[in-house]
């Protein structure tokens, strides 16, 4: 049996080195030495995943539960914990620090605790995830408290990070995939077959065990195991996309949220784009899926919220539906969803991913009513595609997806077989009015910036939310230095900044938002440049934001 301490030591080493090849080597050597019960747990843990999505287990531990458990396990006041968090920005380091200073707990301190094994930690996490009902918070705290009371400081560091599913050791899915391939190369594992198996099953534990046994090729699509969704690449233009694809399957790019539906008899499970089980939140999609006339199927599609005017409602409204756990029916009445299916992954016991889109679509048409299907037109005419594009935008949707009708379903791949065509949004020049300190390694940098647009009537700057820069550490350090001089006020992790600097910002879409004083927010904002050349008066006004908002997808003045 391998101790959790050995796993924590591995994590510490992986965290400390910067080279990704060395990280992969370390993880590979560790995984190769585990027994078959520990291997699935450790290979998921190392990438910060506690349970594969097929298990339907969610740990449900946030900062308050974590800190309560630490305070109880170590007899330390909660204020001290918050203060440490403010300084380090890292719950793992906080847990390690608190456990280090743990008050001896009387008689118990003389009893030598059994060292925690990897399996012990896993079992406690399962118990935490299973805790439900009124007393679930207490049960979660107790189990976590037990782990902290048994752990040394290094173990505590990684127990805390696992509990909030954020390992911060610089190895993700890709790195662990490479490590599994390396660990079991003698059994025939390589990067390609490990990746294929992972994209199909989303269960690194299952994949690692199959890699060791030399049975990777036997893993396939399984009902109730969400599979990574095929994604679309941004196409340059309609003519360019058609030149690439030739005759294309042309579909609207619906303005909704992706759903992957697993049907087995009457049992329906729905997974979101992030592969979370959202079945309970989407009763009308469950009903729609029951109408599929196949015994078992995995279907791919988009859930769209349709407003009273028949147009799609804003994306945030759909997210409300996806997140809602209680009083679902009430919200469903306000934000009704409609399903548009565009692909088929599995049918009556067999994967159909190897079939062409044309063939999959033909099968889909046999098992689904036309009203459940996304419209599709096969054409190589730019004129025809432009017309469908215009219709999609007029109907309030996002644009088009042009698909290669001969292509297979490629799980997890963003490739040229699906090209999305969307209107290009103009950038906005906005004033930086605040910022947030980073976390962990970036605790000494201002990492995200609050943006404002100008209210021409009053001269005030109106809040439009944050942009994270996506800059290198070096560039961030420079930016932080520049803004340090402009800090007006510190409030916890946030600072208020004297308006002086303009960021040019790109985004996917402008959304209405009651959370900000401008009434608008940017979806997926990205910093394009610091516009030193622009003065504050040249920042964009609320009027421009509103006019860009109205120009989106033929919203006109009504929205
Ligand atoms: P993006 O999120 O911009 O990468 O665009 C890809 C997303 O568009 C997919 O994940 C789907 O949620 C959505 N989508 C809307 N309509 C379609 C369609 N007809 N085919 C595929 N994806 C679609």
């Amino acid at each position: 049996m391998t101790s959790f301490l050995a796993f924590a030591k591995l994590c510490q080493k992986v965290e400390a080195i910067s080279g990704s090849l060395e990280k992969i080597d370390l993880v590979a050597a560790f995984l190769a030495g585990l027994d078959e019960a520990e291997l699935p747990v450790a290979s998921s843990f190392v990438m910060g995943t506690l349970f594969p999505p097929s298990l339907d287990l969610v740990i449900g531990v946030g900062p308050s539960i974590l800190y309560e458990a630490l305070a109880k396990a170590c007899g330390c006041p909660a204020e001290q914990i918050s203060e440490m968090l403010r300084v380090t920005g890292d719950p793992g380091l906080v847990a390690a620090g608190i456990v280090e200073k743990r008050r001896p707990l009387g008689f118990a301190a003389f009893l030598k605790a059994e060292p925690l094994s990897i399996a012990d930690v896993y079992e406690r996490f399962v118990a935490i995830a299973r805790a439900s009902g009124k007393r679930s918070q207490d049960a979660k705290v107790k189990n976590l408290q037990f782990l902290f009371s048994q752990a040394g400081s290094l173990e505590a560091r990684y127990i805390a990070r696992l509990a909030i599913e954020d390992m911060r050791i610089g190895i993700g899915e890709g790195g662990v995939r490479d490590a599994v391939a390396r660990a079991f190369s003698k059994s025939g594992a390589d990067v390609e077959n490990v990746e294929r198996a992972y994209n199909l099953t989303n269960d690194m534990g299952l994949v690692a065990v199959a890699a060791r046994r030399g049975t990777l090729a036997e893993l396939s699509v399984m009902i109730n195991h969400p599979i990574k969704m095929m994604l679309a690449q941004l196409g340059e233009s309609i003519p360019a996309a058609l030149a690439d694809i030739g005759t294309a399957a042309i579909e609207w790019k619906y303005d909704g949220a992706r759903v992957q539906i697993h049907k087995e008899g009457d049992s329906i499970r729905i997974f979101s784009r992030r592969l979370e089980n959202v079945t309970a939140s989407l009763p009308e999609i469950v009903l729609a899926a029951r109408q599929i006339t196949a015994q078992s199927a995995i279907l791919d599609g988009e859930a769209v919220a349709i407003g009273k005017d028949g147009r799609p409602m804003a994306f945030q409204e759909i997210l409300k539906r996806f997140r809602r756990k209680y009083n679902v029916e009430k919200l469903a009445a306000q934000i009704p969803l409609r399903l548009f299916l565009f692909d088929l992954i599995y049918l009556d016991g067999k994967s159909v991913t190897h079939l062409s889109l044309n063939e999959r679509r033909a099968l889909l048409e046999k098992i689904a009513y036309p009203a459940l299907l996304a419209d599709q037109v096969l054409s190589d005419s730019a004129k025809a595609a432009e017309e469908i594009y215009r219709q999609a935008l007029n109907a309030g949707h996002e644009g088009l997806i042009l698909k290669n009708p001969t292509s297979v379903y490629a799980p997890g791949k963003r490739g040229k077989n699906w090209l999305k065509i969307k209107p290009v949004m103009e950038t906005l020049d906005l004033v930086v009015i605040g910022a947030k300190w980073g976390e962990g390694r970036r605790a000494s940098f201002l990492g995200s910036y609050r943006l404002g647009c100008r209210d021409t009537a009053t001269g005030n700057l109106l809040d439009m939310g944050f942009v994270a820069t996506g800059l290198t550490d070096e560039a961030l350090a420079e930016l932080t230095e520049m803004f340090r001089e402009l800090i007006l006020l510190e409030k916890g992790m946030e600072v208020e900044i004297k308006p002086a600097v303009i960021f040019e910002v790109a985004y996917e879409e402008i959304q209405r938002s009651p959370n900000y004083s401008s009434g608008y927010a940017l979806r997926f904002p990205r910093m394009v440049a610091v516009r030193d050349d622009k003065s504050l008066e040249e920042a964009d006004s609320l009027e421009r934001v509103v006019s860009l908002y109205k120009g989106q997808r033929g919203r006109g003045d009504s929205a």
Side-chain angles (χ1 to χ4, degrees), residues 229-232 251-259 273 301-302 342 374-375 398 401 403 414 418 420 422 508 523-524:
M229 313 215 185
M230 183 163 176
L231 298 168
E251 296 172 4
W252 283 10
K253 186 175 190 304
Y254 293 93
D255 185 12
R258 191 82 174 258
V259 283
R273 178 161 173 162
E302 191 85 348
F342 49 72
D375 284 335
E398 286 182 33
I401 302 209
K403 300 179 178 177
R414 192 186 286 285
W418 286 15
K420 56 186 172 192
K422 301 197 271 192
E508 287 254 309
R523 180 157 180 234
F524 299 136

Side-chain angles (χ1 to χ4, degrees), residues 21 24 28 172-183 190-191 194 204:
L21 288 179
I24 290 165
E173 237 169 68
V176 179
R177 173 199 63 204
D178 293 358
V180 168
R182 183 156 319 168
D190 59 34
V191 171
V194 172
M204 195 59 88

